[in-house]
mmCIF file with all atom_site columns, all heavy atoms in Angstrom:
data_model
loop_
_atom_site.group_PDB
_atom_site.id
_atom_site.type_symbol
_atom_site.label_atom_id
_atom_site.label_alt_id
_atom_site.label_comp_id
_atom_site.label_asym_id
_atom_site.label_entity_id
_atom_site.label_seq_id
_atom_site.pdbx_PDB_ins_code
_atom_site.Cartn_x
_atom_site.Cartn_y
_atom_site.Cartn_z
_atom_site.occupancy
_atom_site.B_iso_or_equiv
_atom_site.pdbx_formal_charge
_atom_site.auth_seq_id
_atom_site.auth_comp_id
_atom_site.auth_asym_id
_atom_site.auth_atom_id
_atom_site.pdbx_PDB_model_num
ATOM 1   N N   . ILE A 1 1  ? -3.343 6.102   3.668   1.00 0.00 ? 1  ILE A N   1
ATOM 2   C CA  . ILE A 1 1  ? -2.887 5.063   2.693   1.00 0.00 ? 1  ILE A CA  1
ATOM 3   C C   . ILE A 1 1  ? -1.499 4.438   3.214   1.00 0.00 ? 1  ILE A C   1
ATOM 4   O O   . ILE A 1 1  ? -1.301 3.264   3.137   1.00 0.00 ? 1  ILE A O   1
ATOM 5   C CB  . ILE A 1 1  ? -2.709 5.725   1.304   1.00 0.00 ? 1  ILE A CB  1
ATOM 6   C CG1 . ILE A 1 1  ? -4.113 6.016   0.660   1.00 0.00 ? 1  ILE A CG1 1
ATOM 7   C CG2 . ILE A 1 1  ? -1.840 4.832   0.418   1.00 0.00 ? 1  ILE A CG2 1
ATOM 8   C CD1 . ILE A 1 1  ? -4.854 4.777   0.142   1.00 0.00 ? 1  ILE A CD1 1
ATOM 9   N N   . SER A 1 2  ? -0.638 5.313   3.674   1.00 0.00 ? 2  SER A N   1
ATOM 10  C CA  . SER A 1 2  ? 0.683  4.793   4.153   1.00 0.00 ? 2  SER A CA  1
ATOM 11  C C   . SER A 1 2  ? 0.508  3.829   5.294   1.00 0.00 ? 2  SER A C   1
ATOM 12  O O   . SER A 1 2  ? 1.098  2.797   5.363   1.00 0.00 ? 2  SER A O   1
ATOM 13  C CB  . SER A 1 2  ? 1.513  6.018   4.506   1.00 0.00 ? 2  SER A CB  1
ATOM 14  O OG  . SER A 1 2  ? 2.780  5.600   5.104   1.00 0.00 ? 2  SER A OG  1
ATOM 15  N N   . ARG A 1 3  ? -0.375 4.133   6.201   1.00 0.00 ? 3  ARG A N   1
ATOM 16  C CA  . ARG A 1 3  ? -0.569 3.331   7.451   1.00 0.00 ? 3  ARG A CA  1
ATOM 17  C C   . ARG A 1 3  ? -1.159 2.049   6.907   1.00 0.00 ? 3  ARG A C   1
ATOM 18  O O   . ARG A 1 3  ? -0.879 1.000   7.430   1.00 0.00 ? 3  ARG A O   1
ATOM 19  C CB  . ARG A 1 3  ? -1.452 4.166   8.469   1.00 0.00 ? 3  ARG A CB  1
ATOM 20  C CG  . ARG A 1 3  ? -0.832 5.197   9.181   1.00 0.00 ? 3  ARG A CG  1
ATOM 21  C CD  . ARG A 1 3  ? -1.845 5.896   10.037  1.00 0.00 ? 3  ARG A CD  1
ATOM 22  N NE  . ARG A 1 3  ? -1.137 7.079   10.671  1.00 0.00 ? 3  ARG A NE  1
ATOM 23  C CZ  . ARG A 1 3  ? -1.776 7.869   11.546  1.00 0.00 ? 3  ARG A CZ  1
ATOM 24  N NH1 . ARG A 1 3  ? -3.091 7.714   11.694  1.00 0.00 ? 3  ARG A NH1 1
ATOM 25  N NH2 . ARG A 1 3  ? -1.203 8.923   12.050  1.00 0.00 ? 3  ARG A NH2 1
ATOM 26  N N   . LEU A 1 4  ? -2.178 2.113   6.000   1.00 0.00 ? 4  LEU A N   1
ATOM 27  C CA  . LEU A 1 4  ? -2.750 0.943   5.589   1.00 0.00 ? 4  LEU A CA  1
ATOM 28  C C   . LEU A 1 4  ? -1.957 0.038   4.795   1.00 0.00 ? 4  LEU A C   1
ATOM 29  O O   . LEU A 1 4  ? -1.889 -1.200  5.148   1.00 0.00 ? 4  LEU A O   1
ATOM 30  C CB  . LEU A 1 4  ? -4.121 1.335   4.605   1.00 0.00 ? 4  LEU A CB  1
ATOM 31  C CG  . LEU A 1 4  ? -5.016 0.286   4.324   1.00 0.00 ? 4  LEU A CG  1
ATOM 32  C CD1 . LEU A 1 4  ? -5.634 -0.219  5.568   1.00 0.00 ? 4  LEU A CD1 1
ATOM 33  C CD2 . LEU A 1 4  ? -6.049 0.891   3.306   1.00 0.00 ? 4  LEU A CD2 1
ATOM 34  N N   . ARG A 1 5  ? -1.048 0.588   4.089   1.00 0.00 ? 5  ARG A N   1
ATOM 35  C CA  . ARG A 1 5  ? -0.023 -0.224  3.359   1.00 0.00 ? 5  ARG A CA  1
ATOM 36  C C   . ARG A 1 5  ? 0.855  -1.000  4.315   1.00 0.00 ? 5  ARG A C   1
ATOM 37  O O   . ARG A 1 5  ? 1.095  -2.183  4.214   1.00 0.00 ? 5  ARG A O   1
ATOM 38  C CB  . ARG A 1 5  ? 0.875  0.668   2.439   1.00 0.00 ? 5  ARG A CB  1
ATOM 39  C CG  . ARG A 1 5  ? 0.376  0.926   1.103   1.00 0.00 ? 5  ARG A CG  1
ATOM 40  C CD  . ARG A 1 5  ? 1.467  1.392   0.227   1.00 0.00 ? 5  ARG A CD  1
ATOM 41  N NE  . ARG A 1 5  ? 1.048  1.635   -1.044  1.00 0.00 ? 5  ARG A NE  1
ATOM 42  C CZ  . ARG A 1 5  ? 0.896  2.824   -1.687  1.00 0.00 ? 5  ARG A CZ  1
ATOM 43  N NH1 . ARG A 1 5  ? 1.187  3.954   -0.965  1.00 0.00 ? 5  ARG A NH1 1
ATOM 44  N NH2 . ARG A 1 5  ? 0.512  2.983   -3.001  1.00 0.00 ? 5  ARG A NH2 1
ATOM 45  N N   . THR A 1 6  ? 1.328  -0.245  5.336   1.00 0.00 ? 6  THR A N   1
ATOM 46  C CA  . THR A 1 6  ? 2.160  -0.902  6.325   1.00 0.00 ? 6  THR A CA  1
ATOM 47  C C   . THR A 1 6  ? 1.442  -2.145  7.016   1.00 0.00 ? 6  THR A C   1
ATOM 48  O O   . THR A 1 6  ? 2.058  -3.151  7.186   1.00 0.00 ? 6  THR A O   1
ATOM 49  C CB  . THR A 1 6  ? 2.484  0.098   7.522   1.00 0.00 ? 6  THR A CB  1
ATOM 50  O OG1 . THR A 1 6  ? 3.287  1.121   6.879   1.00 0.00 ? 6  THR A OG1 1
ATOM 51  C CG2 . THR A 1 6  ? 3.452  -0.468  8.540   1.00 0.00 ? 6  THR A CG2 1
ATOM 52  N N   . LYS A 1 7  ? 0.209  -2.003  7.352   1.00 0.00 ? 7  LYS A N   1
ATOM 53  C CA  . LYS A 1 7  ? -0.505 -3.102  8.082   1.00 0.00 ? 7  LYS A CA  1
ATOM 54  C C   . LYS A 1 7  ? -0.929 -4.232  7.057   1.00 0.00 ? 7  LYS A C   1
ATOM 55  O O   . LYS A 1 7  ? -0.862 -5.373  7.481   1.00 0.00 ? 7  LYS A O   1
ATOM 56  C CB  . LYS A 1 7  ? -1.724 -2.513  8.768   1.00 0.00 ? 7  LYS A CB  1
ATOM 57  C CG  . LYS A 1 7  ? -1.532 -1.543  9.901   1.00 0.00 ? 7  LYS A CG  1
ATOM 58  C CD  . LYS A 1 7  ? -2.702 -1.128  10.573  1.00 0.00 ? 7  LYS A CD  1
ATOM 59  C CE  . LYS A 1 7  ? -2.408 -0.206  11.746  1.00 0.00 ? 7  LYS A CE  1
ATOM 60  N NZ  . LYS A 1 7  ? -3.611 0.245   12.535  1.00 0.00 ? 7  LYS A NZ  1
ATOM 61  N N   . VAL A 1 8  ? -1.350 -3.847  5.850   1.00 0.00 ? 8  VAL A N   1
ATOM 62  C CA  . VAL A 1 8  ? -1.710 -4.864  4.863   1.00 0.00 ? 8  VAL A CA  1
ATOM 63  C C   . VAL A 1 8  ? -0.661 -5.585  4.255   1.00 0.00 ? 8  VAL A C   1
ATOM 64  O O   . VAL A 1 8  ? -0.755 -6.837  3.979   1.00 0.00 ? 8  VAL A O   1
ATOM 65  C CB  . VAL A 1 8  ? -2.662 -4.184  3.911   1.00 0.00 ? 8  VAL A CB  1
ATOM 66  C CG1 . VAL A 1 8  ? -3.042 -5.141  2.775   1.00 0.00 ? 8  VAL A CG1 1
ATOM 67  C CG2 . VAL A 1 8  ? -4.007 -3.773  4.510   1.00 0.00 ? 8  VAL A CG2 1
ATOM 68  N N   . GLU A 1 9  ? 0.462  -4.874  4.085   1.00 0.00 ? 9  GLU A N   1
ATOM 69  C CA  . GLU A 1 9  ? 1.564  -5.517  3.200   1.00 0.00 ? 9  GLU A CA  1
ATOM 70  C C   . GLU A 1 9  ? 2.772  -5.785  4.008   1.00 0.00 ? 9  GLU A C   1
ATOM 71  O O   . GLU A 1 9  ? 3.724  -6.368  3.419   1.00 0.00 ? 9  GLU A O   1
ATOM 72  C CB  . GLU A 1 9  ? 1.911  -4.578  2.123   1.00 0.00 ? 9  GLU A CB  1
ATOM 73  C CG  . GLU A 1 9  ? 0.886  -4.244  1.149   1.00 0.00 ? 9  GLU A CG  1
ATOM 74  C CD  . GLU A 1 9  ? 1.097  -3.234  0.090   1.00 0.00 ? 9  GLU A CD  1
ATOM 75  O OE1 . GLU A 1 9  ? 2.194  -2.657  0.125   1.00 0.00 ? 9  GLU A OE1 1
ATOM 76  O OE2 . GLU A 1 9  ? 0.301  -3.079  -0.810  1.00 0.00 ? 9  GLU A OE2 1
ATOM 77  N N   . ARG A 1 10 ? 2.727  -5.644  5.295   1.00 0.00 ? 10 ARG A N   1
ATOM 78  C CA  . ARG A 1 10 ? 3.839  -5.987  6.176   1.00 0.00 ? 10 ARG A CA  1
ATOM 79  C C   . ARG A 1 10 ? 4.099  -7.534  6.149   1.00 0.00 ? 10 ARG A C   1
ATOM 80  O O   . ARG A 1 10 ? 3.218  -8.263  6.331   1.00 0.00 ? 10 ARG A O   1
ATOM 81  C CB  . ARG A 1 10 ? 3.529  -5.500  7.691   1.00 0.00 ? 10 ARG A CB  1
ATOM 82  C CG  . ARG A 1 10 ? 4.717  -5.818  8.636   1.00 0.00 ? 10 ARG A CG  1
ATOM 83  C CD  . ARG A 1 10 ? 4.331  -5.126  9.970   1.00 0.00 ? 10 ARG A CD  1
ATOM 84  N NE  . ARG A 1 10 ? 2.954  -5.452  10.280  1.00 0.00 ? 10 ARG A NE  1
ATOM 85  C CZ  . ARG A 1 10 ? 2.265  -4.633  11.231  1.00 0.00 ? 10 ARG A CZ  1
ATOM 86  N NH1 . ARG A 1 10 ? 2.837  -3.517  11.629  1.00 0.00 ? 10 ARG A NH1 1
ATOM 87  N NH2 . ARG A 1 10 ? 1.029  -4.932  11.480  1.00 0.00 ? 10 ARG A NH2 1
ATOM 88  N N   . GLU A 1 11 ? 5.284  -7.948  5.875   1.00 0.00 ? 11 GLU A N   1
ATOM 89  C CA  . GLU A 1 11 ? 5.699  -9.282  5.953   1.00 0.00 ? 11 GLU A CA  1
ATOM 90  C C   . GLU A 1 11 ? 5.067  -10.118 4.809   1.00 0.00 ? 11 GLU A C   1
ATOM 91  O O   . GLU A 1 11 ? 5.054  -11.347 4.899   1.00 0.00 ? 11 GLU A O   1
ATOM 92  C CB  . GLU A 1 11 ? 5.497  -9.983  7.339   1.00 0.00 ? 11 GLU A CB  1
ATOM 93  C CG  . GLU A 1 11 ? 6.269  -9.344  8.400   1.00 0.00 ? 11 GLU A CG  1
ATOM 94  C CD  . GLU A 1 11 ? 5.869  -9.902  9.774   1.00 0.00 ? 11 GLU A CD  1
ATOM 95  O OE1 . GLU A 1 11 ? 5.185  -10.877 9.855   1.00 0.00 ? 11 GLU A OE1 1
ATOM 96  O OE2 . GLU A 1 11 ? 6.483  -9.441  10.815  1.00 0.00 ? 11 GLU A OE2 1
ATOM 97  N N   . CYS A 1 12 ? 4.554  -9.376  3.815   1.00 0.00 ? 12 CYS A N   1
ATOM 98  C CA  . CYS A 1 12 ? 3.939  -10.103 2.711   1.00 0.00 ? 12 CYS A CA  1
ATOM 99  C C   . CYS A 1 12 ? 4.736  -9.866  1.428   1.00 0.00 ? 12 CYS A C   1
ATOM 100 O O   . CYS A 1 12 ? 5.082  -8.815  1.240   1.00 0.00 ? 12 CYS A O   1
ATOM 101 C CB  . CYS A 1 12 ? 2.412  -9.722  2.512   1.00 0.00 ? 12 CYS A CB  1
ATOM 102 S SG  . CYS A 1 12 ? 1.399  -10.129 3.926   1.00 0.00 ? 12 CYS A SG  1
ATOM 103 N N   . GLY A 1 13 ? 4.877  -10.910 0.563   1.00 0.00 ? 13 GLY A N   1
ATOM 104 C CA  . GLY A 1 13 ? 5.444  -10.725 -0.599  1.00 0.00 ? 13 GLY A CA  1
ATOM 105 C C   . GLY A 1 13 ? 4.789  -9.912  -1.610  1.00 0.00 ? 13 GLY A C   1
ATOM 106 O O   . GLY A 1 13 ? 5.420  -9.097  -2.354  1.00 0.00 ? 13 GLY A O   1
ATOM 107 N N   . GLN A 1 14 ? 3.484  -10.006 -1.714  1.00 0.00 ? 14 GLN A N   1
ATOM 108 C CA  . GLN A 1 14 ? 2.670  -9.355  -2.710  1.00 0.00 ? 14 GLN A CA  1
ATOM 109 C C   . GLN A 1 14 ? 2.266  -7.998  -2.074  1.00 0.00 ? 14 GLN A C   1
ATOM 110 O O   . GLN A 1 14 ? 1.739  -7.849  -1.122  1.00 0.00 ? 14 GLN A O   1
ATOM 111 C CB  . GLN A 1 14 ? 1.510  -10.213 -3.136  1.00 0.00 ? 14 GLN A CB  1
ATOM 112 C CG  . GLN A 1 14 ? 1.862  -11.362 -3.901  1.00 0.00 ? 14 GLN A CG  1
ATOM 113 C CD  . GLN A 1 14 ? 0.542  -12.087 -4.399  1.00 0.00 ? 14 GLN A CD  1
ATOM 114 O OE1 . GLN A 1 14 ? -0.310 -12.191 -3.668  1.00 0.00 ? 14 GLN A OE1 1
ATOM 115 N NE2 . GLN A 1 14 ? 0.627  -12.565 -5.555  1.00 0.00 ? 14 GLN A NE2 1
ATOM 116 N N   . LYS A 1 15 ? 2.428  -6.979  -3.055  1.00 0.00 ? 15 LYS A N   1
ATOM 117 C CA  . LYS A 1 15 ? 1.857  -5.660  -2.697  1.00 0.00 ? 15 LYS A CA  1
ATOM 118 C C   . LYS A 1 15 ? 0.629  -5.467  -3.481  1.00 0.00 ? 15 LYS A C   1
ATOM 119 O O   . LYS A 1 15 ? 0.487  -5.789  -4.691  1.00 0.00 ? 15 LYS A O   1
ATOM 120 C CB  . LYS A 1 15 ? 2.867  -4.501  -3.147  1.00 0.00 ? 15 LYS A CB  1
ATOM 121 C CG  . LYS A 1 15 ? 4.229  -4.684  -2.320  1.00 0.00 ? 15 LYS A CG  1
ATOM 122 C CD  . LYS A 1 15 ? 5.060  -3.465  -2.687  1.00 0.00 ? 15 LYS A CD  1
ATOM 123 C CE  . LYS A 1 15 ? 6.463  -3.507  -1.962  1.00 0.00 ? 15 LYS A CE  1
ATOM 124 N NZ  . LYS A 1 15 ? 6.249  -3.518  -0.561  1.00 0.00 ? 15 LYS A NZ  1
ATOM 125 N N   . LEU A 1 16 ? -0.443 -5.011  -2.703  1.00 0.00 ? 16 LEU A N   1
ATOM 126 C CA  . LEU A 1 16 ? -1.774 -4.947  -3.253  1.00 0.00 ? 16 LEU A CA  1
ATOM 127 C C   . LEU A 1 16 ? -2.196 -3.523  -3.564  1.00 0.00 ? 16 LEU A C   1
ATOM 128 O O   . LEU A 1 16 ? -2.967 -3.206  -4.560  1.00 0.00 ? 16 LEU A O   1
ATOM 129 C CB  . LEU A 1 16 ? -2.848 -5.648  -2.379  1.00 0.00 ? 16 LEU A CB  1
ATOM 130 C CG  . LEU A 1 16 ? -2.571 -7.033  -1.988  1.00 0.00 ? 16 LEU A CG  1
ATOM 131 C CD1 . LEU A 1 16 ? -3.671 -7.550  -1.070  1.00 0.00 ? 16 LEU A CD1 1
ATOM 132 C CD2 . LEU A 1 16 ? -2.474 -7.908  -3.212  1.00 0.00 ? 16 LEU A CD2 1
ATOM 133 N N   . ILE A 1 17 ? -1.756 -2.566  -2.739  1.00 0.00 ? 17 ILE A N   1
ATOM 134 C CA  . ILE A 1 17 ? -2.160 -1.122  -2.946  1.00 0.00 ? 17 ILE A CA  1
ATOM 135 C C   . ILE A 1 17 ? -1.173 -0.408  -3.810  1.00 0.00 ? 17 ILE A C   1
ATOM 136 O O   . ILE A 1 17 ? 0.005  -0.267  -3.469  1.00 0.00 ? 17 ILE A O   1
ATOM 137 C CB  . ILE A 1 17 ? -2.405 -0.479  -1.513  1.00 0.00 ? 17 ILE A CB  1
ATOM 138 C CG1 . ILE A 1 17 ? -3.362 -1.230  -0.683  1.00 0.00 ? 17 ILE A CG1 1
ATOM 139 C CG2 . ILE A 1 17 ? -2.860 0.995   -1.760  1.00 0.00 ? 17 ILE A CG2 1
ATOM 140 C CD1 . ILE A 1 17 ? -3.582 -0.777  0.708   1.00 0.00 ? 17 ILE A CD1 1
ATOM 141 N N   . VAL A 1 18 ? -1.673 0.071   -4.947  1.00 0.00 ? 18 VAL A N   1
ATOM 142 C CA  . VAL A 1 18 ? -0.809 0.769   -5.954  1.00 0.00 ? 18 VAL A CA  1
ATOM 143 C C   . VAL A 1 18 ? -1.108 2.309   -5.964  1.00 0.00 ? 18 VAL A C   1
ATOM 144 O O   . VAL A 1 18 ? -2.354 2.657   -6.031  1.00 0.00 ? 18 VAL A O   1
ATOM 145 C CB  . VAL A 1 18 ? -1.028 0.143   -7.297  1.00 0.00 ? 18 VAL A CB  1
ATOM 146 C CG1 . VAL A 1 18 ? -0.095 0.745   -8.366  1.00 0.00 ? 18 VAL A CG1 1
ATOM 147 C CG2 . VAL A 1 18 ? -0.750 -1.393  -7.168  1.00 0.00 ? 18 VAL A CG2 1
ATOM 148 N N   . THR A 1 19 ? 0.007  3.013   -6.036  1.00 0.00 ? 19 THR A N   1
ATOM 149 C CA  . THR A 1 19 ? -0.249 4.504   -6.269  1.00 0.00 ? 19 THR A CA  1
ATOM 150 C C   . THR A 1 19 ? -0.103 4.737   -7.723  1.00 0.00 ? 19 THR A C   1
ATOM 151 O O   . THR A 1 19 ? 0.853  4.374   -8.451  1.00 0.00 ? 19 THR A O   1
ATOM 152 C CB  . THR A 1 19 ? 0.861  5.192   -5.540  1.00 0.00 ? 19 THR A CB  1
ATOM 153 O OG1 . THR A 1 19 ? 0.769  5.085   -4.132  1.00 0.00 ? 19 THR A OG1 1
ATOM 154 C CG2 . THR A 1 19 ? 0.664  6.798   -5.900  1.00 0.00 ? 19 THR A CG2 1
ATOM 155 N N   . VAL A 1 20 ? -1.153 5.342   -8.305  1.00 0.00 ? 20 VAL A N   1
ATOM 156 C CA  . VAL A 1 20 ? -1.075 5.822   -9.792  1.00 0.00 ? 20 VAL A CA  1
ATOM 157 C C   . VAL A 1 20 ? -0.726 7.293   -9.745  1.00 0.00 ? 20 VAL A C   1
ATOM 158 O O   . VAL A 1 20 ? -1.532 8.140   -9.433  1.00 0.00 ? 20 VAL A O   1
ATOM 159 C CB  . VAL A 1 20 ? -2.405 5.505   -10.516 1.00 0.00 ? 20 VAL A CB  1
ATOM 160 C CG1 . VAL A 1 20 ? -2.291 5.949   -11.997 1.00 0.00 ? 20 VAL A CG1 1
ATOM 161 C CG2 . VAL A 1 20 ? -2.774 4.079   -10.381 1.00 0.00 ? 20 VAL A CG2 1
ATOM 162 N N   . ARG A 1 21 ? 0.519  7.682   -10.063 1.00 0.00 ? 21 ARG A N   1
ATOM 163 C CA  . ARG A 1 21 ? 0.944  8.964   -9.898  1.00 0.00 ? 21 ARG A CA  1
ATOM 164 C C   . ARG A 1 21 ? 0.119  10.033  -10.673 1.00 0.00 ? 21 ARG A C   1
ATOM 165 O O   . ARG A 1 21 ? -0.120 9.777   -11.809 1.00 0.00 ? 21 ARG A O   1
ATOM 166 C CB  . ARG A 1 21 ? 2.520  9.141   -10.267 1.00 0.00 ? 21 ARG A CB  1
ATOM 167 C CG  . ARG A 1 21 ? 3.382  8.316   -9.337  1.00 0.00 ? 21 ARG A CG  1
ATOM 168 C CD  . ARG A 1 21 ? 4.815  8.635   -9.580  1.00 0.00 ? 21 ARG A CD  1
ATOM 169 N NE  . ARG A 1 21 ? 5.711  7.911   -8.774  1.00 0.00 ? 21 ARG A NE  1
ATOM 170 C CZ  . ARG A 1 21 ? 5.977  8.235   -7.483  1.00 0.00 ? 21 ARG A CZ  1
ATOM 171 N NH1 . ARG A 1 21 ? 5.445  9.297   -6.979  1.00 0.00 ? 21 ARG A NH1 1
ATOM 172 N NH2 . ARG A 1 21 ? 6.793  7.482   -6.692  1.00 0.00 ? 21 ARG A NH2 1
ATOM 173 N N   . GLY A 1 22 ? -0.260 11.039  -9.937  1.00 0.00 ? 22 GLY A N   1
ATOM 174 C CA  . GLY A 1 22 ? -0.984 12.098  -10.640 1.00 0.00 ? 22 GLY A CA  1
ATOM 175 C C   . GLY A 1 22 ? -2.565 11.677  -10.695 1.00 0.00 ? 22 GLY A C   1
ATOM 176 O O   . GLY A 1 22 ? -3.284 12.652  -11.223 1.00 0.00 ? 22 GLY A O   1
ATOM 177 N N   . VAL A 1 23 ? -2.924 10.590  -10.348 1.00 0.00 ? 23 VAL A N   1
ATOM 178 C CA  . VAL A 1 23 ? -4.285 10.148  -10.496 1.00 0.00 ? 23 VAL A CA  1
ATOM 179 C C   . VAL A 1 23 ? -4.906 9.718   -9.120  1.00 0.00 ? 23 VAL A C   1
ATOM 180 O O   . VAL A 1 23 ? -5.895 10.353  -8.795  1.00 0.00 ? 23 VAL A O   1
ATOM 181 C CB  . VAL A 1 23 ? -4.406 8.964   -11.508 1.00 0.00 ? 23 VAL A CB  1
ATOM 182 C CG1 . VAL A 1 23 ? -5.883 8.632   -11.724 1.00 0.00 ? 23 VAL A CG1 1
ATOM 183 C CG2 . VAL A 1 23 ? -3.736 9.464   -12.781 1.00 0.00 ? 23 VAL A CG2 1
ATOM 184 N N   . GLY A 1 24 ? -4.339 8.660   -8.527  1.00 0.00 ? 24 GLY A N   1
ATOM 185 C CA  . GLY A 1 24 ? -4.985 8.211   -7.256  1.00 0.00 ? 24 GLY A CA  1
ATOM 186 C C   . GLY A 1 24 ? -4.471 6.892   -6.825  1.00 0.00 ? 24 GLY A C   1
ATOM 187 O O   . GLY A 1 24 ? -3.197 6.649   -7.078  1.00 0.00 ? 24 GLY A O   1
ATOM 188 N N   . TYR A 1 25 ? -5.319 5.924   -6.370  1.00 0.00 ? 25 TYR A N   1
ATOM 189 C CA  . TYR A 1 25 ? -4.759 4.707   -5.911  1.00 0.00 ? 25 TYR A CA  1
ATOM 190 C C   . TYR A 1 25 ? -5.806 3.629   -6.335  1.00 0.00 ? 25 TYR A C   1
ATOM 191 O O   . TYR A 1 25 ? -6.864 3.839   -6.674  1.00 0.00 ? 25 TYR A O   1
ATOM 192 C CB  . TYR A 1 25 ? -4.902 4.746   -4.283  1.00 0.00 ? 25 TYR A CB  1
ATOM 193 C CG  . TYR A 1 25 ? -4.054 5.860   -3.771  1.00 0.00 ? 25 TYR A CG  1
ATOM 194 C CD1 . TYR A 1 25 ? -4.658 7.077   -3.433  1.00 0.00 ? 25 TYR A CD1 1
ATOM 195 C CD2 . TYR A 1 25 ? -2.667 5.743   -3.473  1.00 0.00 ? 25 TYR A CD2 1
ATOM 196 C CE1 . TYR A 1 25 ? -3.994 8.137   -2.893  1.00 0.00 ? 25 TYR A CE1 1
ATOM 197 C CE2 . TYR A 1 25 ? -2.003 6.804   -2.875  1.00 0.00 ? 25 TYR A CE2 1
ATOM 198 C CZ  . TYR A 1 25 ? -2.652 8.005   -2.641  1.00 0.00 ? 25 TYR A CZ  1
ATOM 199 O OH  . TYR A 1 25 ? -1.888 8.993   -2.090  1.00 0.00 ? 25 TYR A OH  1
#
């Protein structure tokens, strides 16, 4: 998930992948 976030959200203003604490993504 961390690697995917880096590649998908790098240099982009909008964050798409969200962590829902204690539940999932």
Side-chain angles (χ1 to χ4, degrees):
I1 287 286
S2 177
R3 292 177 180 173
L4 193 58
R5 274 200 178 109
T6 298
K7 294 184 177 183
V8 169
E9 300 177 349
R10 182 172 47 203
E11 301 177 1
C12 295
Q14 288 185 323
K15 297 186 181 300
L16 302 179
I17 301 174
V18 178
T19 299
V20 181
R21 294 191 180 280
V23 183
Y25 305 91

